[in-house]
Amino acid sequence: MNMRDEEYIIALEQCRSITRAAEQLHVTQPTLSIFLTNLEKQLGSPLFQRIGKKIVPTPLGQAYVRHAQQILAMERDFQQELLLYTKGIRGELHIGSTYRGSFNRIPPLLNQMKKLFPQVQCFLHDETSSRLEGLLEDGTVDVIYTNYPLPPNRFYVETAGEDHLLAVLPENHPAAAQARELPGMAYLYLNLKLVENETFFLMGQERAIRGRVNLAMDYCGVKPARIHPLEHIELGCQMAAEGLGVAFTMEHYVKDDIIRQPVRYFRVGNPEAYTEWFVACRKSAYIPPYLTAFMDILKESAKDSRL
C-alpha cells in the first residue's frame, strides 16, 4: 500500500520544517513543498501555517496528522499479518515500558523471545508512563508494560502483578524500632506519623508515585514538615540513605536500587492498598503468535519474582 501522503504529513508535523522533513524523507524540498501545496488545494484549507521559522499544523492539520497515524498503524498491522502468511512467524515486536518498569525485568525476557522466535526483532521503547498509552494507541508500540490503568474499551489488558509503595530510611533510623509486622507483607509496616517532622523527598505531582504517596499521607493524616521536590526516585533514595529525610520507592524497583549507604524499606499508607502492573495491546490490532508469547512470558515472570 502507498502511504506516502500520511508519511509526508507526519514528517512535517514532527520536524516543523519543510527542509528538515525533506531530509528525513530523503526527498527534495521542492518535491515536498509541491506535495503540500497540491494537498491543501485539494482539501480547500491549509494544513500548516508558518510561525517564524517553523511550520505549525492548523486545526485541520492536527486532525489530518491524527488520522494519518491511525492509518499507518493499520498498515503496520497488515504488514505484520502478511509476513506471518508469506514468510512464517517473522516480524517486529515493539515493547513500551518505563525505565524503572523495564530495567530489570524486560531484557531477560527479550533473550527468551530471541530463542523462541529467532526471526522476530524485538525493540524496547523506554518512555514515561504518561506517554505509553498514546504510543500504543498510535501504533508506535505493539504492547506496553505499565502500572497506569488503561481503558478496557480500547485495549486488551491483563494484570501482570501487584506492587506496593515503600518508604526509604537509613538503616539505623530510630523510627524503625516502632515498625511492625503485618500478615502477608514482605516488609515491616511503618506509620508515616512517626517521621512526619522529617523532610519528605517527593516527585512532582504529575508522577504516578507522587499520587500514591499523597494517598499514603492522607491515610495517616500526615503533613510533612518539609517537602523537597526531586525529579528522580533514585536521588531521593540516596538522600534518605544519608539521613537527610524520607524517600519513597516501589517494591518493584527495590532490586534495581544501587544505594551507597545501607537503607531499610517499609510498607506505608493503607495496608490493603496496592498498585497493579498491566500488560496491554490494542484491541483492534492483529495479534501474532509472538506477541501472545511475550505477554505470557511477562505474566509468568511476574509470578516468579516478588513485586
Side-chain angles (χ1 to χ4, degrees):
M1 297 182 186
N2 186 357
M3 299 287 110
R4 188 201 67 166
D5 290 8
E6 288 76 15
E7 292 171 349
Y8 281 14
I9 290 298
I10 289 174
L12 286 166
E13 193 278 334
Q14 290 175 340
C15 297
R16 302 294 175 99
S17 163
I18 293 178
T19 301
R20 288 199 297 272
E23 291 174 353
Q24 177 177 303
L25 294 164
H26 304 292
V27 300
T28 65
Q29 182 177 341
T31 296
L32 193 55
S33 295
I34 292 170
F35 157 78
L36 181 58
T37 299
N38 291 339
L39 180 59
E40 290 178 332
K41 285 181 180 179
Q42 178 185 338
L43 296 174
S45 180
L47 294 173
F48 292 86
Q49 57 183 329
R50 185 169 293 280
I51 300 178
K53 295 183 178 181
K54 294 183 178 181
I55 57 169
V56 179
T58 62
L60 175 60
Q62 293 173 2
Y64 198 113
V65 168
R66 184 172 64 254
H67 288 289
Q69 290 172 333
Q70 294 171 355
I71 291 170
L72 287 179
M74 292 173 63
E75 163 65 6
R76 184 160 169 248
D77 291 339
F78 170 72
Q79 292 298 334
Q80 293 278 17
E81 186 172 357
L82 181 63
L83 282 171
L84 288 174
Y85 282 105
T86 60
K87 298 183 180 180
I89 300 177
R90 180 180 180 184
E92 294 181 356
L93 179 60
H94 291 261
I95 303 156
S97 183
T98 61
Y99 166 77
R100 294 308 299 265
S102 63
F103 180 81
N104 200 287
R105 184 175 302 278
I106 303 299
L109 305 189
L110 298 187
N111 196 29
Q112 292 185 49
M113 287 293 294
K114 185 177 180 180
K115 295 175 182 177
L116 291 171
F117 299 94
Q119 296 188 72
V120 175
Q121 288 186 291
C122 295
F123 301 90
L124 180 58
H125 298 254
D126 171 19
E127 285 290 349
T128 62
S129 298
S130 58
R131 278 181 49 80
L132 287 175
E133 181 179 339
L135 294 178
L136 181 59
E137 191 162 34
D138 69 21
T140 300
V141 298
D142 305 300
V143 60
I144 61 174
Y145 179 54
T146 179
N147 55 6
Y148 262 37
L150 296 168
N153 60 316
R154 298 203 308 275
F155 304 110
Y156 176 70
V157 182
E158 292 194 28
T159 301
E162 294 182 2
D163 202 359
H164 306 97
L165 179 69
L166 302 179
V168 185
L169 292 172
E171 187 176 43
N172 58 354
H173 196 284
Q178 300 183 60
R180 65 186 192 275
E181 290 187 13
L182 291 180
M185 288 190 182
Y187 295 90
L188 296 177
Y189 179 82
L190 181 73
N191 188 332
L192 284 177
K193 271 289 186 182
L194 297 172
V195 291
E196 185 175 31
N197 292 326
E198 306 239 3
T199 298
F200 277 36
F201 297 106
L202 301 180
M203 304 301 106
Q205 294 288 358
E206 75 283 357
R207 298 286 294 276
I209 192 172
R210 176 62 181 272
R212 298 178 185 108
V213 175
N214 290 344
L215 290 174
M217 292 191 298
D218 290 344
Y219 179 84
C220 298
V222 167
K223 293 184 179 179
R226 295 169 299 280
I227 291 178
H228 186 145
L230 292 174
E231 291 295 322
H232 301 284
I233 293 173
E234 299 92 336
L235 180 56
C237 293
Q238 296 287 0
M239 301 282 270
E242 296 293 340
L244 300 173
V246 184
F248 297 88
T249 188
M250 301 301 296
E251 193 169 346
H252 184 72
Y253 303 157
V254 167
K255 60 176 177 280
D256 301 334
D257 288 338
I258 303 174
I259 302 175
R260 296 178 59 186
Q261 302 292 339
V263 296
R264 293 187 66 180
Y265 300 96
F266 302 91
R267 283 277 295 274
V268 292
N270 183 348
E272 303 297 322
Y274 62 89
T275 298
E276 289 185 307
W277 282 84
F278 305 98
V279 56
C281 61
R282 296 190 310 280
K283 270 190 173 180
S284 59
Y286 174 75
I287 302 179
Y290 52 80
L291 175 52
T292 301
F294 175 78
M295 294 176 72
D296 289 341
I297 291 170
L298 179 56
K299 289 183 292 180
E300 194 62 31
S301 167
K303 293 179 184 178
D304 292 340
S305 60
R306 185 182 68 193
L307 282 175

